[in-house]
Amino acid sequence: MEFGKEQNPEWLYTLVQKNNDKLLRKKFSIDASYQIFFGTGTEKTLEAARNAAYSDCLNKILAENKNKNAILNSMTPVYEYWELDDKKLYTVYTIYSMQNKK
């Protein structure tokens, strides 16, 4: 857990465990016109876990949106949360928003 960041935030729990983004939207003032995506990665190093979380998030975005170039240009990072467990594995949660295209 990075120094100075909120430990075990409720908004992250409701997003990841309940697939409910209402608390996240409120905390970060994210308008309803934006889609929320999150990815999770667990690895031996923080950088590897970050990469795995980003890849997981990107795969979820690509599954819902077909225009790959537009996706990469419109992804906005919202937050990253990480923790280290007893087995010395890092788990990273990365959250991005993307404006809905009409």
Side-chain angles (χ1 to χ4, degrees):
M1 183 24 227
E2 195 168 343
F3 184 73
K5 288 197 177 180
E6 181 181 3
Q7 188 173 7
N8 302 316
E10 183 180 352
W11 58 264
L12 181 63
Y13 172 79
T14 60
L15 176 67
V16 174
Q17 296 296 323
K18 298 181 178 183
N19 202 25
N20 183 333
D21 63 11
K22 287 181 183 179
L23 292 176
L24 172 104
R25 287 182 183 278
K26 183 177 179 180
K27 177 168 181 62
F28 295 102
S29 301
I30 300 173
D31 188 83
S33 66
Y34 285 80
Q35 294 175 282
I36 301 294
F37 294 94
F38 71 92
T40 306
T42 301
E43 297 289 341
K44 291 181 182 180
T45 68
L46 182 56
E47 195 59 35
R50 281 182 170 138
N51 289 335
Y54 175 78
S55 293
D56 183 42
C57 187
L58 188 58
N59 286 333
K60 291 175 183 177
I61 292 170
L62 290 172
E64 286 195 29
N65 301 276
K66 303 304 177 201
N67 185 346
K68 293 178 185 179
N69 289 331
I71 291 167
L72 294 175
N73 292 329
S74 64
M75 288 173 57
T76 304
V78 175
Y79 195 82
E80 176 188 273
Y81 180 86
W82 62 266
E83 55 196 14
L84 181 62
D85 68 16
D86 302 359
K87 298 173 188 167
K88 302 293 185 206
L89 293 174
Y90 289 91
T91 298
V92 173
Y93 302 92
T94 187
I95 303 165
Y96 283 84
S97 67
M98 193 172 81
Q99 191 164 18
N100 289 328
K101 304 294 181 200
K102 294 188 180 191

